Amino acid sequence: MLNFCAKGRLLLTLLCFTFVFTAVTQYESYNFKNFPKEELMPLTSAYGLALDHYAAENWTESVKYLELSLRLHRLLKDTARYCMRHCNNAKYTELSFKENLDLRAYWHVMMRASCLKKCRARFPALHPPLPSQEITEDFSRRSPYRYLHFAHSKLNDLQRAIPCAYTYLQRNPKDQEMHRLMEQYKSQYDLSGSLTDHEEQPYESSFLKGVKLISSGDYSSSVDHMEEALRLYLHEYELCQADCEGISRLTPGSDFYPAVADVCVGVLKCKLKCEENLIPNVGGYFVEKFVATIYHYLQYAYYKLNNGRSAVPCASSYFLFEPEDQVMKQNLQYYKAYSQEWGLQPEHFTARTEALKHFNQTVTQKQMLALAEGYLEMDDEDFFGPEEAALLASESSDVDFEGMGDYEESIYAKWWQPRGKGDAGESHT
């Protein structure tokens, strides 16, 4: 018998190593539709001023503009999301282009562009100039919180400095210098509970509550929190996907179709990084394969509640993402062997609808990216044939092109996941 609860206690131990500290969140009074006009300025300018003051050791001014930069970044993100979702749901005038598919495609692009242009005109945050990719990556890595921690500590304001350090570490757990500073804080101050993560997503707290409840044996309540975590995560995942289409950068001077292809490849790469960008951090460990992990917890909790009709679709959903998991395979075989006792029908052995949608979406995107990069990297011989390629090579000296590169999914840390439904291979009693 696999001792799931012992593993659950291990996770609770990890949770106990985090700390509580009262702090004011960056977005306590934030509302993207009512953002103070006096604070509006390009994110590039605000962040530039923050770093300039930081370099000059003007800590108060640096804090002011770093916090403003965080709010402006959130404003930019939220307004772009609003416009994308609004235009995704908008109904456009349909014209008949039955004989010309190109015109039909152009018409849809123009209608969508028109909608986005009108929507963005309402929000100054989306007016040019937009931040560079380097700046947006800085915010994705939570770098501003590293600067904020140091600036607050220089101002002897540890009540604000320590939560900033914790927020940064949640995305950068391998930063040894910040870990060393956190250990110093732990040795000098009484920090109990859990620190405030200024960028915590709602699904993270729901997931942690669900894990704690499963470990305590309260399976009924744990199911509610795990289902909520799944729903909130998939919602945030869709918003992340929309973010990738919100702000694109065209290559200057490029032809139309190559420019569109470059944007599409960039969007696909961005969308495939959503899983990495949304991965939760628990006790310094990233919860990899988060969606599959939730289904694993759910199938275990439903099993403990003797609710096979809910457990089996969750087990099938997990197996969809992890088809090589032998323990889950045994669990599904067990359920099939005792289908009558559990009141199961063939349709119960199908993955849940949202699991199928999420799985198909990510698989299709990976396939599209691989195909796109493959076609964009084709050499002359692949495209024209050997004879014509040789002729072209002799006529042109500009034959050294660099490829687009391969997509690689970052893996930050190993994460313990529950094995099986808790009693893998046990007989039905």
Side-chain angles (χ1 to χ4, degrees):
M1 178 185 293
L2 187 85
N3 194 338
F4 176 88
C5 291
K7 294 291 188 179
R9 285 193 292 272
L10 175 60
L11 177 56
L12 286 177
T13 302
L14 287 174
L15 295 177
C16 289
F17 284 113
T18 54
F19 317 95
V20 168
F21 211 89
T22 304
V24 179
T25 176
Q26 297 291 343
Y27 312 111
E28 186 174 0
S29 59
Y30 167 84
N31 185 326
F32 85 93
K33 290 187 177 180
N34 297 308
F35 198 87
K37 293 183 179 180
E38 62 273 14
E39 291 190 357
L40 282 173
M41 64 187 304
L43 174 58
T44 301
S45 302
Y47 194 48
L49 286 170
L51 296 185
D52 287 343
H53 285 298
Y54 186 90
E57 300 186 2
N58 299 326
W59 307 121
T60 301
E61 289 299 301
S62 180
V63 166
K64 172 185 173 181
Y65 283 104
L66 281 168
E67 291 183 344
L68 175 60
S69 297
L70 287 166
R71 292 193 296 275
L72 287 169
H73 178 257
R74 174 67 66 88
L75 176 66
L76 178 67
K77 190 173 183 178
D78 286 349
T79 49
R81 283 182 172 184
Y82 174 83
C83 287
M84 289 300 299
R85 295 180 69 188
H86 170 74
C87 293
N88 282 344
N89 298 324
K91 294 183 179 179
Y92 305 120
T93 303
E94 292 289 346
L95 298 181
S96 177
F97 296 108
K98 294 181 180 179
E99 296 181 359
N100 194 319
L101 295 179
D102 283 345
L103 288 179
R104 184 178 181 181
Y106 294 155
W107 178 255
H108 280 282
V109 169
M110 286 188 290
M111 289 297 97
R112 182 74 173 273
S114 175
C115 178
L116 288 171
K117 184 177 180 180
K118 291 176 182 177
C119 183
R120 291 183 175 211
R122 297 170 52 195
F123 298 106
L126 293 175
H127 296 176
L130 296 174
S132 65
Q133 185 173 349
E134 182 181 3
I135 289 179
T136 56
E137 287 177 354
D138 248 19
F139 282 84
S140 178
R141 290 189 296 264
R142 301 190 179 185
S143 297
Y145 287 102
R146 202 178 197 285
Y147 296 125
L148 271 172
H149 160 261
F150 192 77
H152 280 309
S153 64
K154 284 294 185 179
L155 294 169
N156 295 317
D157 189 353
L158 292 184
Q159 186 169 350
R160 292 179 181 272
I162 296 176
C164 288
Y166 179 74
T167 300
Y168 174 78
L169 279 171
Q170 287 298 97
R171 186 54 56 194
N172 304 274
K174 295 184 178 181
D175 190 314
Q176 295 302 315
E177 180 183 358
M178 194 63 75
H179 267 300
R180 180 180 56 80
L181 290 171
M182 285 298 296
E183 290 301 316
Q184 290 181 5
Y185 293 139
K186 287 165 58 179
S187 66
Q188 296 172 10
Y189 305 100
D190 180 18
L191 307 176
S192 58
S194 71
L195 279 168
T196 300
D197 178 1
H198 290 309
E199 300 292 337
E200 183 182 64
Q201 295 292 338
Y203 59 82
E204 296 182 71
S205 59
S206 296
F207 174 74
L208 294 182
K209 290 176 184 175
V211 171
K212 291 179 180 180
L213 289 166
I214 285 177
S215 300
S216 68
D218 187 352
Y219 302 109
S220 180
S221 298
S222 71
V223 161
D224 294 335
H225 287 289
M226 281 295 177
E227 291 284 8
E228 181 181 48
L230 179 63
R231 178 181 59 81
L232 291 172
Y233 175 84
L234 292 177
H235 175 71
E236 188 63 29
Y237 186 87
E238 289 303 315
L239 291 177
C240 178
Q241 298 275 294
D243 290 343
C244 296
E245 300 177 5
I247 301 174
S248 299
R249 299 170 178 84
L250 292 172
T251 304
S254 59
D255 293 331
F256 175 71
Y257 285 108
V260 171
D262 287 343
V263 170
C264 288
V265 168
V267 167
L268 283 171
K269 287 183 176 180
C270 175
K271 288 185 174 184
L272 285 168
K273 289 192 71 175
C274 282
E275 182 178 358
E276 175 187 327
N277 293 336
L278 298 177
I279 187 170
N281 182 320
V282 178
Y285 294 90
F286 285 117
V287 187
E288 297 178 353
K289 302 175 182 178
F290 185 57
V291 172
T293 300
I294 292 179
Y295 283 121
H296 210 326
Y297 276 113
L298 280 172
Q299 66 86 26
Y300 175 80
Y302 280 126
Y303 163 77
K304 285 295 187 179
L305 292 170
N306 292 317
N307 187 348
R309 292 186 175 186
S310 295
V312 174
C314 291
S316 298
S317 297
Y318 174 83
F319 198 63
L320 181 68
F321 294 95
E322 297 295 320
E324 302 301 321
D325 191 307
Q326 293 303 310
V327 175
M328 191 61 70
K329 184 177 181 179
Q330 292 174 11
N331 289 343
L332 289 170
Q333 290 173 348
Y334 159 79
Y335 283 120
K336 288 180 180 179
Y338 293 96
S339 293
Q340 187 174 355
E341 289 84 346
W342 285 96
L344 299 172
Q345 301 297 325
E347 59 268 20
H348 291 122
F349 291 86
T350 303
R352 287 171 36 160
T353 302
E354 77 280 354
L356 284 168
K357 178 183 176 182
H358 184 71
F359 177 80
N360 290 335
Q361 181 178 7
T362 54
V363 168
T364 301
Q365 288 172 352
K366 289 177 182 178
Q367 291 174 342
M368 288 179 63
L369 179 61
L371 288 171
E373 290 185 327
Y375 277 112
L376 290 173
E377 292 176 357
M378 284 187 354
D379 57 28
D380 288 344
E381 186 170 330
D382 291 329
F383 190 77
F384 295 105
E387 294 183 359
E388 191 171 354
L391 179 62
L392 288 171
S394 64
E395 294 176 351
S396 173
S397 59
D398 186 17
V399 295
D400 187 15
F401 294 94
E402 293 184 356
M404 295 292 293
D406 295 324
Y407 169 78
E408 295 182 2
E409 183 178 359
S410 296
I411 298 178
Y412 285 92
K414 291 185 178 179
W415 171 253
W416 167 79
Q417 297 183 16
R419 300 297 299 167
K421 63 179 183 299
D423 298 291
E426 68 180 359
S427 61
H428 181 69
T429 57

